[in-house]
Amino acid sequence: MKYILASASLRRIKLLKQIGISFKSIPSAINEKYVFRKLAYLCDYNKIAKNIALAKALDVAKKFDTGIIIGVDTIVVLKGKILGKPKSFKDAVSILGKLSGKIHKVITGFAIVDAKTGRKLIDSVATLVTFKELGKQEIIDYVKTKEPMDKAGAYGIQGKGAVFVKKINGCYFNVVGLPLAKLTEDLNKFVQ
């Protein structure tokens, strides 16, 4: 079975390698912000994440005659608002300030598409993450590491941002960007 990850995310690549899946990484050309704007009316964050993941998978599937394409999108939600990737140093500081001492939700939508048959499976996983209270200097020092700049919610649980996480309820790997247990369960439906 030929697997293709519709992403260049180093975190997702590392996670798939960790579980022994052999795959190619072919990033999607989908403009996430454009797709998000089209879907924002849904107000259903699971549907938004799943639809963006599907758009990515379908975009890459067009380039292949065979193969199982995996599209993924992760969003962070706090008090009904999506916290995307920070646009600047100041934005990262602001996002982390909002997360300080609060519980937020990390939702990863993923879509699996068989390029040959067009068969699709779309799913999502949500994890609740509780942050400790963060000091202003602690936030600034973390943002200076540049770790938060390419991550939804402006932190990496698998990196230095781990020290902010007081508790999680759900899949840890989902917060990193790929819910491995649910993904492999769904991938198995394509090899039966």
Side-chain angles (χ1 to χ4, degrees), residues 140-151:
I140 290 168
D141 290 345
Y142 176 59
V143 176
K144 282 181 182 175
T145 71
K146 298 186 181 163
E147 183 179 272
M149 301 315 291
D150 65 339
K151 295 168 184 69

Side-chain angles (χ1 to χ4, degrees), residues 36-44 48:
F36 174 77
R37 281 194 298 272
K38 284 178 63 178
L39 298 170
Y41 73 92
L42 291 174
C43 297
D44 179 329
I48 291 170

